[in-house]
Structures are given as structure tokens and as C-alpha cells.
Amino acid sequence: MPEMRILLLFNTVSFEEKAQDFTLGECASDATVGAVYDALALTGSEVIPLNLFSPEQLEETVSAHHFDAAFVIAEGFLELPHTLYDGSGAMLIREILNKRGIPSTHSSPEAMSLCRNKDSTYHMLSAFDVNVPSFAVIRDTDPKSLAQKVAELEETVPYPLFVKPVGGGSSICIDRHSVVNDRKELTERIRMVQAVLGSQPVLVETYLPGREYTIGVLGNGEKFVLPVIAFAPDAGVRSAVDKGAFSHVNTPVEFIPDNDPLALSLMSIAEKTFDILGVRDIIRIDVKEDAQGVCHVIDVNGTPSLAPTASIIKMAAVMGIGYQEVVALILYAALTREKMELPPRLAEIVAEPLAKLRAIRTGMVA
Ligand SMILES: Nc1ncnc2c1ncn2[C@@H]1O[C@H](COP(=O)(O)OP(=O)(O)O)[C@@H](O)[C@H]1O
Ligand SMILES: [Mg+2]
């Protein structure tokens, strides 16, 4: 008898479809879905995979079958492509599951929505004194003309600026041309993002030219900040191509030693961000330095990639924690949070990585 029935929710499309339509950038590859499936199956559970197309499909599935929990890496619904990048999908999926009383991994619907709307993330973090870029939001519903909005924005946020979708994810509509130096470039770039993503609001923020870091946090009540990754100093803007959306890319990364004051400061930013946003189970925070080397949070990922070459997996690997253990730890975090009885195989699998995390990571951040 399997120990649990776990619904695995994901979005995947063929490689060709993804290459033709980069708004599908948030879809996981078959290899990633397969790896997560295998890791969950190892916990002794029956895993029911579902490529998510529509809210109706999810409603029908959860009303027709019993599930103990859902492991959700889906970002939205394939038949409603905007839900994959406008910040609504990850929230809606969890609302449907909540209504049915099915506990799910990762953050709550509200926290997911907060992370998937970068302007909301920035407002919240800056209210608690976490550095974020200065920014303005351009909405096509605004009755003011684009020229007028651009002129107003120039008064508050100086060039060079960085243009990105408020929702986004997987660097949709982000490449080196996202950096703009004057009114003409800014206006053209805003128009380009609007043309691709429709009514999606556009964020215009301070361009941060310094080094980029990414930090993972795993757990909820008991949580662990993972080792800090630094991207190459000359990495520049991390586009979808750099992140491996269209072909296999295994970006070389450097780890900042835990005792380096920079690592301590980044881990403290990550932990503070985690608490302020009320997220849970797993997140990854992207940070970039300004010209003076001051760190700013630029992105909080509620569903960080679980591709075998993803940053989160690399962070765990340097601690001797393997892929299957990471997936098991995320499920463990969700089940303990829900005060559910742990399947014995899952408890066995997480025992050693948990001991490592407790020994090495607990209390690292003052
Ligand atoms: N304000 C900024 N200044 C410089 N580069 C930025 C800025 N914001 C984002 N980037 C670059 O663009 C990449 C993608 O942006 P990010 O906000 O993380 O969006 P996504 O949700 O698509 O990952 C980042 O990894 C970084 O390289
Ligand atoms: Mg990012």
C-alpha cells in the first residue's frame, strides 16, 4: 500500500513550443518533471502527475479523486497562458486546492501573489527597511499617455533604468536591452514588453550594475538559509537563454564562504525577506549590488526551479544534500506545517539531510 497519494502539478510543453513562445518560459522541462516525480515516488507515495491546462481540469481532478497533499511546481494554466506570468496562476491553483482541503507545498496563495507581483514585493520589503531598487509601475490602463508617465518617472528614478514585467519569472522579456539609458530607449522597451505581455504592468527600476547573488531558504517554522551563490562578476543581465530556457545550460557559479561577512549579510537579507513576505517551504531570493556594492533584493521566487542543474539543487549539493533529498525536504516542510503524520519512508529520507542542516545552518544568521 502506498503511504500517501500526492498530486504533482506542473506545466510542461514541448521543447519546440517553448522555443517559439518565450512567454511559456515558466514551464518545466520533461526532465525536471520526471526528476521531481521520481524523487516523490521514492518517499513511498503514490504520485499522480498532472500537466495543468485549466482551472476546470484541476477542479474535476480534485473532486473525483482523493489526494493527501499536492506538490505544486505549476505556475498557472496552459490554456490561460497569462496565468503563467502575470502572477495569478500560482495563487489560483492553491486557492482551488485549499477549497478542497488539500494541503500544498510552497507558499500560501497570498504569499505567492505577493512574490509574483514585484511591485508588491518591493513595497512590502522597503516598508521593513530591506533595500530594493527605486521603481515606478507603468500600467496600460492608466489614462495618462505613456510620454507623460515616462516624463514623471524620470523625475523620481534617474537613468540608467531597468525595464521588466511586474510578474514575469524565468526572465520573460528580460535581456541586455532591458537596460535603458534615455527616454527613447525606455519608451521603446516599455512598448515592447506591453506588445508581448499585453496588459501586464511594466516595472521600471534603478539599474543595478554590480554582482548578482541568489540565496535559498528551506523550511517554515524551522528554516534553513542555504549557502550563497554568486554569479560571475561579468555575468550581466541573466536572460532566459542564460537560465537555460531553450537549451541545457549549467551556469558555473561560485559559493561565498559562510564565514565571509558578505555571505552573512546576504543570508540575513534572505531570512528577513522570508519572514516579511510570510513565505514558506522553499524560496529563492535574487539580490544585486548597486555601483557602490550595496545589495538590493530584485526578485523573490516562490517556486524556484527544481531542474537538476538549478541553483537550489547546487546549494544543497555543496552541503552533501542530493536532489531527491531536496524534494523530500520540501514535502516534509509542507506536511509538518500541516501537522500531518509523516510517512515512514519520508521520515527516513529526510533524517540525514535534516541533521546536516541543523548542525551546519541553524543559528547562522543572528
Ligand atoms: N534592477 C536591475 N538591475 C540590473 N539587472 C537586473 C535588475 N533586475 C533584474 N536584473 C537582471 O535580470 C534578471 C532577471 O530579473 P528578475 O527580476 O530576477 O526576473 P525573473 O523573475 O524573470 O527571474 C536578473 O537575474 C538580473 O540579472
Ligand atoms: Mg529572478
Side-chain angles (χ1 to χ4, degrees):
M1 266 291 280
E3 291 172 343
M4 265 197 175
R5 275 173 66 85
I6 310 265
L7 178 62
L8 168 60
L9 297 176
F10 58 92
N11 305 116
T12 193
V13 291
S14 70
F15 183 76
E16 292 71 29
E17 279 175 277
K18 201 166 169 179
Q20 273 166 21
D21 181 354
F22 57 88
T23 65
L24 295 172
E26 285 289 272
C27 294
S29 69
D30 288 348
T32 300
V33 175
V36 175
Y37 177 94
D38 290 346
L40 289 174
L42 273 184
T43 68
S45 306
E46 182 185 359
V47 187
I48 296 91
L50 186 69
N51 192 10
L52 216 42
F53 282 87
S54 69
E56 296 74 29
Q57 173 208 21
L58 180 57
E59 301 265 14
E60 274 166 32
T61 306
V62 293
S63 61
H65 306 276
H66 167 78
F67 300 102
D68 295 294
F71 194 101
V72 187
I73 56 169
E75 293 282 8
F77 303 96
L78 289 172
E79 281 176 10
L80 306 168
H82 65 92
T83 61
L84 299 168
Y85 56 78
D86 72 1
S88 65
M91 183 173 83
L92 188 53
I93 294 167
R94 285 170 177 81
E95 280 176 350
I96 295 173
L97 294 169
N98 279 357
K99 248 189 352 212
R100 288 271 161 192
I102 302 172
S104 53
T105 57
H106 302 67
S107 296
S108 67
E110 299 74 26
M112 276 294 177
S113 171
L114 198 52
C115 295
R116 283 311 228 111
N117 290 282
K118 292 185 171 110
D119 56 337
S120 311
T121 312
Y122 287 172
H123 275 302
M124 190 86 169
L125 292 180
S126 63
F128 288 89
D129 297 326
V130 172
N131 288 332
V132 295
S134 299
F135 70 99
V137 183
I138 307 281
R139 294 175 203 279
D140 71 353
T141 48
D142 195 327
K144 288 180 194 165
S145 71
L146 181 56
Q148 197 182 347
K149 284 182 281 183
V150 163
E152 279 174 18
L153 179 165
E154 287 171 333
E155 299 288 316
T156 52
V157 207
Y159 291 104
L161 292 165
F162 195 88
V163 182
K164 63 191 190 188
V166 154
S170 301
S171 286
I172 292 168
C173 282
I174 296 178
D175 56 33
R176 64 193 168 86
H177 302 293
S178 304
V179 186
V180 295
N181 295 290
D182 57 36
R183 184 174 291 190
K184 181 170 172 288
E185 286 179 4
L186 173 61
T187 310
E188 277 172 10
R189 191 67 190 184
I190 293 171
R191 288 215 174 99
M192 180 289 233
V193 177
Q194 287 176 334
V196 176
L197 300 183
S199 57
Q200 167 79 187
V202 181
L203 202 54
V204 180
E205 63 186 42
T206 311
Y207 168 60
L208 303 163
R211 203 164 183 193
E212 183 164 343
Y213 307 93
T214 193
I215 311 106
V217 187
L218 180 69
N220 40 68
E222 181 187 33
K223 62 180 187 293
F224 308 100
V225 184
L226 301 176
V228 175
I229 284 184
F231 293 101
D234 61 355
V237 175
R238 303 199 65 239
S239 68
V241 174
D242 299 319
K243 292 181 183 175
F246 307 112
S247 62
H248 180 76
V249 173
N250 194 356
T251 313
V253 294
E254 187 189 316
F255 281 91
I256 309 288
D258 284 343
N259 57 0
D260 186 319
L262 173 63
L264 288 171
S265 137
L266 287 164
M267 288 192 282
S268 155
I269 292 172
E271 192 174 36
K272 214 171 154 188
T273 299
F274 187 101
D275 291 341
I276 294 167
L277 299 179
V279 287
R280 62 194 196 193
D281 299 351
I282 184 83
I283 58 159
R284 219 198 62 234
I285 295 156
D286 298 335
V287 172
K288 214 159 185 305
E289 288 175 345
D290 65 15
Q292 283 71 45
V294 177
C295 289
H296 295 68
V297 174
I298 53 165
D299 184 23
V300 180
N301 303 278
T303 324
S305 171
L306 291 178
T309 52
S311 297
I312 286 287
I313 304 304
K314 289 179 175 152
M315 293 169 187
V318 290
M319 298 186 60
I321 298 175
Y323 186 91
Q324 278 110 3
E325 292 174 323
V326 174
V327 173
L329 283 165
I330 298 170
L331 181 62
Y332 164 84
L335 299 185
T336 45
R337 156 166 69 68
E338 296 295 325
K339 306 203 171 19
M340 290 171 72
E341 199 181 325
L342 286 189
R345 291 267 297 278
L346 176 62
E348 268 167 44
I349 293 172
V350 297
E352 200 182 305
L354 265 182
K356 279 182 193 157
L357 287 164
R358 286 182 181 138
I360 311 175
R361 312 309 292 180
T362 304
M364 291 207 57
V365 184

